[in-house]
Amino acid sequence: MRSMGGERVTEAVEGAVAALRAGVDRDWSKVRAGRLEWDCRRTAEHIAGDLFAYAGQLAGRAQDAYVPFDIVLEDDAGNEGALQVIATAGVLLAAVVSTTPRQVRAFHPYPFRSADREGFAAMGVAEVLLHTHDMAQGLGLAYEPPAELCEDVLTRLFPHVRPDPDHWRTLLWATGRGDLPGRAPVTEWRWSNNPVIPTARITLQGVTPAAATDLRLGGTGGFEWLDGGPFEGTRDAAGMLLKAYAAGVHRPEWGVFVLVRTEDGRAVGSMGFHGHPDEEGRVEVGYDLVEGARGNGYATEALRALAAWALAGRGVRTLLATVDRANIPSQGVVTRAGFTRVSEDEQSYAFALDG
């Protein structure tokens, strides 16, 4: 899987600085940045400020709010100076992302109140790509970032956006900066970092389309797995997620979560939903664990947390689970998590938990 790390931040910033340098002879304070209300100088300051802010959030492990600081260009800083500040901020964010452990999350408001190092890297790259586009549009400069870089952003921050072969045009459309054939214009948007649900011994970490693609192809999804890799059910669940993503109906809160053990950061299984809740507020859950993690109560702990999360004001009235008759341990998991057996057939039992 192509990583979303410090190298991607560096790639985005270097491309942006190179493109914008062609317009340093203009007065940026008198040129509007594309469709924005800001001028190009204010937009350059904003790019640098976001890169610094994301580095600060992640380095400082902020948990409840933004770290209270801002970056302002000095009055006598020319356009070259502005580009130097952007480049410096990019180096700082790239370094912080590259040295931050995978498990660390820090505050960001949209939409689940936190992001990991991949999330902050992706947000930094998105700010650079989009606002460089705005400035280039205002200054009349040519700018189109690498398609892979745009796909990196889309598959991590826009899981709700149906993919299109033209990744750059899709990103512009998804952020209200352009049109795509057959799609209505976007007037309001927010990106979406992956959700995380903590428990006493593990965290349920939402799987992005980027990670799901890697899992489906036999990779790790960017996780360090106990026993060397996930159980086959995890790869099947990743395939279901990708089908929903391709159809434009995937929502991360109703997707797949990898169960990561807190003590050592190893992934021990996965758990998630078989789609959105239906009209009656019912949604089905499924899960599996790698063999080396079974018998420790991880599935029960995770299912209790996932059930509480789903039933807490998200329109869910009933959680369902189907378990093979021969799978006695899994029947124990759902029972201990509060589910009740409601029906059966020749092969399986159906369980339900009402909110």
Side-chain angles (χ1 to χ4, degrees):
M1 181 177 72
R2 182 175 148 102
S3 66
M4 176 54 87
E7 68 277 14
R8 300 284 85 81
V9 176
T10 299
E11 180 184 3
V13 170
E14 288 180 350
V17 170
L20 294 173
R21 183 160 281 126
V24 292
D25 58 336
R26 302 281 301 279
D27 185 346
W28 288 4
S29 65
K30 295 182 179 179
V31 179
R32 182 172 173 175
R35 300 183 183 185
L36 302 182
E37 296 182 357
W38 298 334
D39 60 48
C40 286
R41 181 178 175 84
R42 174 68 184 89
T43 305
E45 187 176 68
H46 176 78
I47 294 172
D50 276 343
L51 294 171
F52 274 115
Y54 293 154
Q57 290 297 103
L58 200 53
R61 311 294 198 261
Q63 295 299 305
D64 301 313
Y66 286 116
V67 177
F69 75 96
D70 199 2
I71 296 296
V72 179
L73 297 176
E74 293 186 351
D75 291 341
D76 60 351
N79 296 339
E80 276 290 353
L83 293 180
Q84 184 179 16
V85 176
I86 291 173
T88 300
V91 170
L92 287 174
L93 178 57
V96 171
V97 168
S98 298
T99 55
T100 298
R102 190 190 180 286
Q103 299 302 102
V104 170
R105 296 185 73 87
F107 173 81
H108 189 276
Y110 304 139
F112 302 112
R113 309 288 293 174
S114 72
D116 60 11
R117 65 186 186 189
E118 275 209 349
F120 279 105
M123 289 188 292
V125 169
E127 294 283 357
V128 171
L129 301 188
L130 295 169
H131 290 313
T132 300
H133 162 80
D134 298 331
M135 293 178 65
Q137 194 174 51
L139 294 167
L141 305 176
Y143 176 70
E144 181 165 340
E148 277 192 309
L149 199 54
C150 301
E151 185 180 19
D152 291 335
V153 171
L154 287 166
T155 55
R156 289 169 173 84
L157 296 182
F158 294 87
H160 51 289
V161 171
R162 175 165 55 88
D164 184 272
D166 192 330
H167 304 305
W168 177 225
R169 299 290 174 261
T170 303
L171 182 58
L172 291 176
W173 170 82
T175 57
R177 288 171 167 83
D179 300 317
L180 275 183
R183 305 200 198 187
V186 172
T187 56
E188 294 183 2
W189 63 274
R190 284 182 179 175
W191 50 47
S192 179
N193 281 291
N194 66 321
V196 168
I197 305 170
T199 76
R201 297 180 296 163
I202 58 176
T203 57
L204 291 79
Q205 300 188 14
V207 173
T208 64
T213 300
D214 190 58
L215 286 167
R216 189 58 182 156
L217 294 175
T220 65
F223 297 90
E224 184 179 351
W225 288 86
L226 189 69
D227 293 353
F231 198 66
E232 192 59 34
T234 295
R235 301 199 188 279
D236 293 340
M240 293 171 59
L241 187 156
L242 291 175
K243 287 182 180 179
Y245 175 58
V249 298
H250 172 59
R251 298 295 178 268
E253 62 267 39
W254 306 116
V256 182
F257 296 79
V258 167
L259 312 183
V260 178
R261 197 162 57 186
T262 304
E263 67 182 44
D264 57 7
R266 290 182 178 271
V268 298
S270 71
M271 183 173 291
F273 303 97
H274 295 181
H276 305 166
D278 64 17
E279 295 81 0
E280 298 180 10
R282 300 176 303 182
V283 64
E284 186 172 359
V285 297
Y287 51 87
D288 67 25
L289 292 179
V290 301
E291 291 187 7
R294 295 173 186 173
N296 294 289
Y298 294 137
T300 300
E301 184 174 325
L303 185 55
R304 286 171 176 161
L306 187 67
W309 189 80
L311 293 167
R314 288 182 167 82
V316 175
R317 298 179 60 187
T318 303
L319 288 170
L320 306 171
T322 302
V323 183
D324 290 345
R325 281 177 172 266
N327 194 342
I328 305 301
S330 189
Q331 293 171 32
V333 168
V334 294
T335 300
R336 289 191 295 273
F339 286 68
T340 302
R341 198 167 83 188
V342 293
S343 65
E344 61 185 88
D345 58 28
E346 293 182 356
Q347 297 181 333
S348 61
Y349 296 118
F351 293 81
L353 175 64
D354 293 325

